[in-house]
Amino acid sequence: MPTGPPPAELHLSQRPAVTEPIPGPRSSDLLDEQAAKEANTVAYPLSLPIAIDSARGATIEDVDGNVYLDFSAGIGVANVGHSNPYVVDAAKDQLDAVAHTIDFPTEARLEFIDALDSIAPGTLPGNSRIAFGGPTGTNAIEASIKLAKYNTGRNGIVGFEDGYHGGTMGALSLSGWSSYKSDYTPLLPDVVHVPYPRPQDYETPEAALDGALEEIRAVVSGRADGLEEPPAGIWVEPIQGSGGVVVPPEGFLEGLAEMTAEHDVLLIVDEIQTGMGRTGEWFGSDHADITPDAMTVGKAVGGIGLPLSATVYREELDTWGPSAHAGTFRGHVPAMVAGTRAIEYIDEHDLLDRATRIGAYLQDRFGEIQEDCPHLVDVRGRGLLVGAEFRDADGSPLSDLVDSIQSRCLQRGLVVWTAGIEGHVLRLLPPLVLTDEQARVGMDIIQDVVEEVTAETDTRRGDGV
Ligand SMILES: Cc1ncc(COP(=O)(O)O)c(C=O)c1O
């Protein structure tokens, strides 16, 4: 059976079509109604004020008929494109058959487990076990915390400064975003945060790596303040996504793997944002020569945004028993079917190569923009996870400028997202099915907008024309 239409045929169009003001009248009504009914926790429409009618491939149509190019993929979810028919058809069939099976076996469940195992990093394929819990990424993080504590008999958990792992109490404890945590303390005890090596802050990548590894070694070996013995585990994003698309220097994950093995500390790689082909390999940690003890997956693993997350780990760690990680929803079967189909689609249509090639193009275009924009201080990323960092001449983060770029891009029909604790990084994470033309059109919009916003900012400050 052919694996669906080619990527070029998945979209509503190759370029945006904005025919109504944004937000248009119907969008405004729905946004107002939402604000009147839903909790204050709603956030995305504050930056991107649209109400969505439908989406296909790398395009979204709002309820007023405006069509957008989507360079955010629902924050790294729609890797094979919104409503990819190859995925949708199979998920619908599964919905017709059965949606909820707790954790009883179904053929679809076992096929998905095999498919995910076959693409897992390092030596995990054929040697992994998988635990399903609640449907969203943070649930997989919670399971991995319990797995590490159970297997090591220790309490300490280690995360990275600026790392993000989710919104539930354990994942929040691991995350390095103090603004998300301060109202909810105390969180888990025995949590330590260590520096993530940020090449952009150092003369050389080696300097960034050596400094960070030295501090991490002290914590992992139990010699640092805050923990009385080596921790149960250390949780790392192969690229810090929400923290600002920070790509660590070469050798970082290998260094971590070496020291965690030495001290029997689990290395848990959080692939929730970097997984399923996003970085041009199946997983972000495939760019390094390591096998994680465990990895967490979410976001794109449910194919087209069906809710699914999982914790995959070395089978020797499968020491716990029935319901050690309990829950009513232990794997959503239509999402599993969608996940299997997404893996097939990515494989058959060479989307890993495509992510690498188009990602390089996006970075090249930012390089051109950088020539005329001194505020664009760094461009980085891997595959289709790309960040552009904006700072003032004195080094202050330019989050207002990035907000302005985001809202003006929307006005021209391009959805982009941001990153960094200070919100000063423009983050692109489009579907892997983005076409060359869509990439060019989207980057033309970003280039125009950055030029416009930079000129206005400089004029206001009196240091421009
Ligand atoms: C690296 C990483 N881990 C965990 C999470 C939490 O996933 P979820 O929002 O699905 O709970 C996210 C979400 O952005 C993430 O980027």
Side-chain angles (χ1 to χ4, degrees), residues 136-138 164-166 237 242 270 272-273 299:
T136 187
T138 196
Y164 183 71
H165 301 285
E237 292 165 82
S242 308
D270 181 346
I272 289 166
Q273 189 161 150
K299 285 191 186 277

Side-chain angles (χ1 to χ4, degrees), residues 328-381:
T328 304
F329 295 106
R330 303 179 183 202
H332 184 247
V333 191
M336 290 173 169
V337 170
T340 306
R341 285 255 163 155
I343 291 171
E344 289 168 10
Y345 191 89
I346 291 171
D347 194 29
E348 285 288 317
H349 295 276
D350 292 331
L351 296 191
L352 301 183
D353 286 350
R354 189 186 187 90
T356 304
R357 183 174 58 75
I358 299 186
Y361 171 79
L362 301 186
Q363 289 206 44
D364 283 352
R365 289 293 306 271
F366 271 124
E368 282 171 29
I369 297 173
Q370 205 170 15
E371 286 170 20
D372 296 319
C373 177
H375 302 309
L376 175 46
V377 295
D378 196 38
V379 178
R380 51 188 184 248

Side-chain angles (χ1 to χ4, degrees), residues 165-208:
H165 301 285
T168 48
M169 297 307 252
L172 210 49
S173 305
L174 269 180
S175 299
W177 292 58
S178 49
S179 57
Y180 281 8
K181 307 202 275 191
S182 51
D183 291 333
Y184 309 105
T185 52
L187 295 169
L188 287 186
D190 302 319
V191 184
V192 171
H193 290 94
V194 290
Y196 197 84
R198 299 165 56 88
Q200 63 269 29
D201 295 347
Y202 288 81
E203 289 275 310
T204 62
E206 293 74 28

Side-chain angles (χ1 to χ4, degrees), residues 312-330:
V312 180
Y313 50 89
R314 286 193 293 111
E315 62 186 342
E316 304 86 82
L317 298 173
D318 202 35
T319 54
W320 49 9
S323 287
H325 188 62
T328 304
F329 295 106
R330 303 179 183 202

